[in-house]
Amino acid sequence: MGIEPGRLQFSWISSAESTKFVEVVNEITTVIKALGPHENFVKREASIA
Amino acid sequence: MKVIKIDKKEWAKGLERLSKTYQLFGPAKHEAFFVFKALEDGELPDLDVQNTRLSPRSVIYPQSEKMFEYTLDEDQEDHHILKEIDKEYSSRAIIGIRPCDAKAFLLVKRNFDAPEYKDPYWIKSYEATTLVGHGCNAPCSCCFCTTAGCGPFHEEGLDILLVDVDDTYLAKIITEKGDRLLAAAGWDTKTDTATNDPIENMKEAAEAKITSMVSTDQLKDKSTTDLFEASFWEDVSFACINCGTCTYVCPTCWCFDIQDETHGLSGIRMRNWDSCMYPLFTFHGSGHNPRDTKTQRVRQRFMHKLKYYVDKYDNGIQCVGCGRCVRFCPVNIDIRRVCDLMNSFEL
Amino acid sequence: MLSYIDKIKEISRRLLKESKVDMVIGFRKGTVVMMNEPCFVKTVADVDKLVWDSNCGINLANYLANRTEKIGIVAKGCDSRNIVTHIIENKIKRDQVVIIGVPCKGMIDRHNIEAMAEAEIQEVIETDDTIQVKGAGFEKTLDKKEVLQENCAICVHRNPVIYDELVADEVKEQTDVDRYEDVRHIEALSPEEKWDFFEDLLSTCIRCYGCRNACPLCYCPTCFVDESRPQWVGKSQDSTDIRTFHFLRAYHCAGRCTDCGACERACPMGIKVRLFTKKLEKDCLELFDWEAGLTLEKRPPLDTYRPDDPDEFIR
């Protein structure tokens, strides 16, 4: 729909897998930071008449 | 009433002069259908149109419109106060509006410019707009304007009526506003030899082409409660999917919904077209909805247009017979059929 | 297909006469060309108003949700698949409906035919294979195959998948169709190009919700765009809000959409709204080997779990 690959990620982490959780969060934030802010789907003031 | 002749060769030049002092709107082809849009520099209104998909109501009354702005920043003196938004209401003209759509503005005016209540946004916009109509030589088969208080050459609501005659447009000046527009366009008005006759003849010919009719003569005398409780509503509304098509393509529908949208510390109050077909339309803060079912909502639309309006203003139905709702209803609910059911209803 | 109507009437009369149903849902003749109006028939005397031709594209399953009567319903392939979906989703009980199955040869695309004509079409005459259109100063005969609704042209389930009565012998299913050419085209675009493509696609949307309301799947008591406490989506013509509506609606149809084309048919602005749902339909087919509404026996992919799920994260 016009969202870059990598910006949306899914993971399955059990409540017992704390290390995996940390790894995944670190990985995702690295990828997202590299992509920079997504401007398209941000709605500021409605653009209307 | 003065009628002038505009040589089609002079048409574009006049519009160009006009665009210096007026913002021009006109029909333009958008893929498979026509829309009304703000004309760009040098763009001519495409008058080779039967009618546009949507009526030009949004030119005067946009589907979404800002009304106020506010700040929630308590460091500002005027925080939490609605402030009017500076809006531009310079002269504008709709070139090539059909007589039905122009008459529709008069029907809407009864609501927005009433003795008790005045809608400043609508009134300012309407007053800034000059309506240059285009007589309908080839009405569509769903048009029933002649029995809906209007007609293919109807003048009420127009400032100028243009009639296409071979190499010329005959322009009938109906109001002072129209006169001013013609002066600004600077078409050669000395050739004031044209008469009203060709217009009258074409008008008769066009009216004769309209074969689709409604009967409205009994509506006023019908009992509101009898019509309200009539058994035909279940049948009439069965197919309805409660979308907003009929109300959004309609030139005479006027309902709106007010919304506040805040972003950070600043926000706007806006209004958006609303539709009586939507469940949210009459949804109360209490959680109760007096029009909870689609049958009630369908009945509301027709009762408003064909009974409440008739009773309130004593000036005909709230419909100009443009036929858009008939053509674009996804499930073929036909106001002509419903009007006749209501008009001929007997207990 | 025109000859079906006699059998539809015969079955409807019988069902009503024997009180097997309280009403039959079908079509009556429209008041404008290429349109018929969904209607109900409650008495044997009213059965004669039923019609059948290539203008019965509206999905009648849309009129079933939450009804309590016993209902006879005329159903094309797609309608029958949406009836299956309704049964799976508990919107109607199987024993509450008598399905009058119609082997379908496709419905015609009135928007497209209107765009092809030189002027307003005033009369349309249909035979089994042709559509003859007439208007002021023109007349032409079109090959019906060439003017089908896009979803009908690529349909591979023309025969009802579930029925109690069938009005004619089954028709041959199409096999040599490319169902997802348009989706592949969009898939090949870059994220920026996709963004612009959808911006352009939705530029004429007036938020009438015709697409949503014509869809048998959209029966939520309160749609997310109508929710006001809290309000999830803005109500104006802002393009972000319009886009949010269309994307979210499409996702709500994932694994449920039968590509019946009701949404696109309903759109007064001619927006190709099926492009949203088709991508999800394609994914469901490719990832889960799933086509919605074909059977009552299997659960849809989005409400079940399989150990061989194609996505690694969930295995």
Side-chain angles (χ1 to χ4, degrees), chain C residues 56-59 76-79 81-82 104-110 147-158 173-174 177-179 182 257-266 272 274-275 277-278 281:
Chain C
C56 298
I58 295 159
N59 190 327
K76 310 179 286 290
C78 50
D79 305 53
R81 292 172 64 194
N82 279 101
C104 180
K105 288 181 188 165
M107 294 294 147
I108 56 173
D109 183 340
R110 67 188 176 108
V147 292
L148 291 179
Q149 285 184 192
E150 273 180 33
N151 64 304
C152 297
I154 56 164
C155 174
V156 291
H157 296 288
R158 294 180 149 186
E173 294 291 1
Q174 306 190 107
V177 287
D178 181 0
R179 285 162 70 185
D182 43 5
C257 175
T258 60
D259 199 26
C260 72
C263 49
E264 206 158 285
R265 186 184 173 91
K272 294 195 174 300
R274 277 172 54 245
L275 288 176
T277 45
K278 265 186 94 181
E281 202 215 339

Side-chain angles (χ1 to χ4, degrees), chain B residues 259-271:
Chain B
Q259 294 268 320
D260 286 357
E261 279 191 5
T262 306
H263 297 271
L265 289 175
S266 66
I268 53 167
R269 174 162 293 183
M270 61 167 101
R271 67 170 171 193

Side-chain angles (χ1 to χ4, degrees), chain B residues 52-317:
Chain B
T52 49
R53 182 75 46 110
L54 298 179
S55 85
R57 99 159 114 145
S58 62
V59 175
I60 286 176
Y61 171 30
Q63 182 165 0
S64 293
E65 181 175 22
K66 284 182 210 167
M67 304 169 81
F68 301 101
E69 58 190 4
Y70 53 83
T71 175
L72 305 179
D73 180 357
E74 298 196 358
D75 293 338
Q76 307 284 328
E77 230 172 74
D78 55 358
H79 68 88
H80 291 86
I81 294 172
L82 289 170
K83 287 168 293 180
E84 213 173 312
I85 287 175
D86 269 341
K87 289 202 167 206
E88 203 243 346
Y89 291 107
S90 58
S91 298
R92 61 200 67 179
I94 307 181
I95 313 288
I97 186 174
R98 290 297 188 187
C100 52
D101 289 335
K103 166 86 188 256
F105 285 125
L106 292 185
L107 268 55
V108 173
K109 191 168 186 282
R110 295 196 183 111
N111 178 58
F112 281 147
D113 190 6
E116 319 87 306
Y117 300 106
K118 307 262 179 216
D119 182 301
Y121 307 96
W122 190 91
I123 292 174
K124 280 184 203 161
S125 188
Y126 178 72
E127 284 176 351
T129 311
T130 304
L131 301 177
V132 181
H134 184 208
C136 261
N137 286 323
C140 120
S141 59
C142 294
C143 294
F144 55 102
C145 52
T146 49
T147 47
C150 194
F153 280 62
H154 199 79
E155 293 168 17
E156 238 183 322
L158 284 176
D159 298 302
I160 293 173
L161 173 67
L162 287 180
V163 179
D164 192 330
V165 186
D166 305 324
D167 296 333
T168 58
Y169 291 116
L170 295 184
K172 188 167 183 177
I173 304 160
I174 298 161
T175 65
E176 267 180 43
K177 242 183 182 177
D179 221 359
R180 281 198 296 274
L181 179 133
L182 278 183
W187 284 298
D188 182 12
T189 52
K190 273 171 249 148
T191 53
D192 190 5
T193 50
T195 68
N196 209 11
D197 290 353
I199 300 186
E200 283 303 313
N201 292 340
M202 290 173 85
K203 177 180 171 179
E204 272 175 39
E207 283 174 357
K209 283 184 194 159
I210 291 179
T211 51
S212 173
M213 315 263 173
V214 290
S215 305
T216 59
D217 55 321
Q218 304 294 314
L219 291 169
K220 198 163 168 50
D221 296 330
K222 298 286 175 201
S223 142
T224 303
T225 46
D226 288 351
L227 280 179
F228 191 85
E229 283 160 9
S231 56
F232 56 69
W233 293 116
E234 191 197 357
D235 178 69
V236 163
S237 65
F238 176 79
C240 182
I241 56 174
N242 270 173
C243 73
T245 301
C246 50
T247 51
Y248 285 180
V249 298
C250 179
T252 71
C253 274
W254 61 52
C255 291
F256 60 82
D257 173 45
I258 293 180
Q259 294 268 320
D260 286 357
E261 279 191 5
T262 306
H263 297 271
L265 289 175
S266 66
I268 53 167
R269 174 162 293 183
M270 61 167 101
R271 67 170 171 193
N272 301 302
W273 291 356
D274 205 348
S275 169
C276 51
M277 296 292 103
Y278 295 164
L280 213 55
F281 187 72
T282 48
F283 190 62
H284 292 180
S286 67
H288 172 66
N289 191 347
R291 281 183 220 128
D292 203 18
T293 66
K294 86 168 167 191
T295 304
Q296 291 170 325
R297 297 196 278 271
V298 171
R299 174 174 63 194
Q300 166 62 22
R301 169 164 172 260
F302 290 116
M303 285 292 276
H304 186 211
K305 287 201 176 302
L306 305 172
K307 181 59 183 166
Y308 307 145
Y309 188 93
V310 173
D311 290 350
K312 181 168 179 183
Y313 297 106
D314 197 13
N315 223 320
I317 55 176

Side-chain angles (χ1 to χ4, degrees), chain C residues 218-261:
Chain C
C218 279
Y219 55 66
C220 287
T222 306
C223 177
F224 70 97
V225 286
D226 291 335
E227 187 60 71
S228 53
R229 292 180 292 194
Q231 184 169 307
W232 304 109
V233 188
K235 298 212 175 289
S236 74
Q237 283 299 95
D238 180 88
S239 61
T240 313
D241 292 324
I242 291 178
R243 188 184 287 247
T244 304
F245 159 63
H246 283 282
F247 278 130
L248 258 84
R249 191 190 95 79
Y251 276 105
H252 286 182
C253 300
R256 307 165 65 221
C257 175
T258 60
D259 199 26
C260 72

